[in-house]
Amino acid sequence: AQKVTQAQTEISVVEKEDVTLDCVYETRDTTYYLFWYKQPPSGELVFLIRRNSFDEQNEISGRYSWNFQKSTSSFNFTITASQVVDSAVYFCALSSGGGADGLTFGKGTHLIIQP
Amino acid sequence: DAGVIQSPRHEVTEMGQEVTLRCKPISGHNSLFWYRQTMMRGLELLIYFNNNVPIDDSGMPEDRFSAKMPNASFSTLKIQPSEPRDSAVYFCASSLAELYNEQFFGPGTRLTVL
């Protein structure tokens, strides 16, 4: 069975601080896909990134970066110079078939950026 | 382009009533997913379809829940009879299976069963 653990239930930082959201996953599959989604207070789920198990390169997109380490089964998400608009619940998710398979979500991390 | 469309956005009903949630996936997508979000259980997959065929319904909580996808552009999730513990936000998502890409989520239906 697949499992995603986001141990940080809530994180509160002051604007402009860097913050890292942790994600640890469990799967027996050799091929799998990892995702991060953002859920702002309005409630929709916004896709941020997809990673497959063969690609361990770190990725940077503006103030966002992701660190994928198969050795520790982790896929952590860092926001640099956080802004109030980053306040949201962030979900890490796992699937065997990318978009063709159901996602197993973590419980989410509620990120609060204080001005 | 229109995203995933769900209706209604909000539904308030009384225990015992039948509830039908509707979803229109993104045009051209061939995989459709129903998820439920609650405080207690988080986001959980209920059922998904590929090319209109149900592939995995192991997440459907009880026989009171049923889902159909009569064609590529429409799906329903029905709860009959509804119970207060069914209160949740129900999300529909779609994707193009062959690209192994992300799932695009609809805005969700907030269901309250009194």
Side-chain angles (χ1 to χ4, degrees):
Chain A
Q2 298 183 330
K3 185 178 179 181
V4 176
T5 301
Q6 295 180 256
Q8 303 150 310
T9 305
E10 184 174 289
I11 299 174
S12 181
V13 300
V14 177
E15 197 173 23
K16 297 183 183 177
E17 288 185 10
D18 299 347
V19 59
T20 296
L21 310 182
D22 297 333
C23 173
V24 174
Y25 62 91
E26 295 175 29
T27 180
R28 294 177 182 168
D29 297 323
T30 54
T31 300
Y32 51 90
Y33 298 80
L34 295 161
F35 303 80
W36 277 93
Y37 281 84
K38 175 182 180 180
Q39 187 173 44
S42 52
E44 72 270 27
L45 283 159
V46 179
F47 166 78
L48 295 178
I49 190 172
R50 174 185 68 101
R51 250 310 177 251
N52 70 50
S53 52
F54 298 115
D55 184 1
E56 286 195 73
Q57 276 192 327
N58 291 334
E59 181 154 341
I60 299 174
S61 176
R63 296 183 297 106
Y64 295 172
S65 63
W66 291 268
N67 181 265
F68 175 31
Q69 291 194 339
K70 288 180 74 172
S71 60
T72 56
S73 297
S74 65
F75 186 41
N76 296 337
F77 173 31
T78 297
I79 302 175
T80 303
S82 59
Q83 300 176 1
V84 173
V85 293
D86 296 327
S87 296
V89 180
Y90 291 85
F91 292 95
C92 181
L94 168 69
S95 87
S96 299
D101 200 359
L103 297 175
T104 298
F105 282 90
K107 294 294 188 188
T109 296
H110 185 198
L111 178 62
I112 301 168
I113 310 298
Q114 300 181 12
Chain B
D1 287 342
V4 175
I5 299 172
Q6 292 187 246
S7 65
R9 295 292 308 277
H10 301 273
E11 177 81 25
V12 179
T13 190
E14 293 190 347
M15 184 174 62
Q17 296 297 305
E18 177 178 297
V19 175
T20 299
L21 311 182
R22 297 173 176 79
C23 175
K24 177 179 171 55
I26 293 172
S27 178
H29 282 187
N30 56 2
S31 291
L32 184 139
F33 307 81
W34 283 100
Y35 293 88
R36 178 172 69 174
Q37 184 177 30
T38 61
M39 289 295 293
M40 289 291 292
R41 300 175 66 90
L43 273 160
E44 51 183 347
L45 175 70
L46 299 178
I47 185 172
Y48 75 94
F49 299 82
N50 280 345
N51 297 313
N52 312 337
V53 176
I55 302 300
D56 182 359
D57 66 353
S58 59
M60 296 286 263
E62 302 171 30
D63 291 345
R64 298 184 296 106
F65 286 68
S66 62
K68 293 182 180 179
M69 193 165 186
N71 57 61
S73 59
F74 183 66
S75 177
T76 59
L77 178 67
K78 185 177 293 186
I79 308 172
Q80 165 65 17
S82 58
E83 296 183 3
R85 58 189 167 131
D86 301 330
S87 297
V89 179
Y90 291 81
F91 287 100
C92 176
S94 72
S95 71
L96 185 56
E98 288 80 5
L99 294 182
Y100 296 93
N101 283 341
E102 68 274 17
Q103 296 175 17
F104 294 85
F105 282 77
T109 294
R110 181 174 294 278
L111 173 65
T112 302
V113 183
L114 303 175

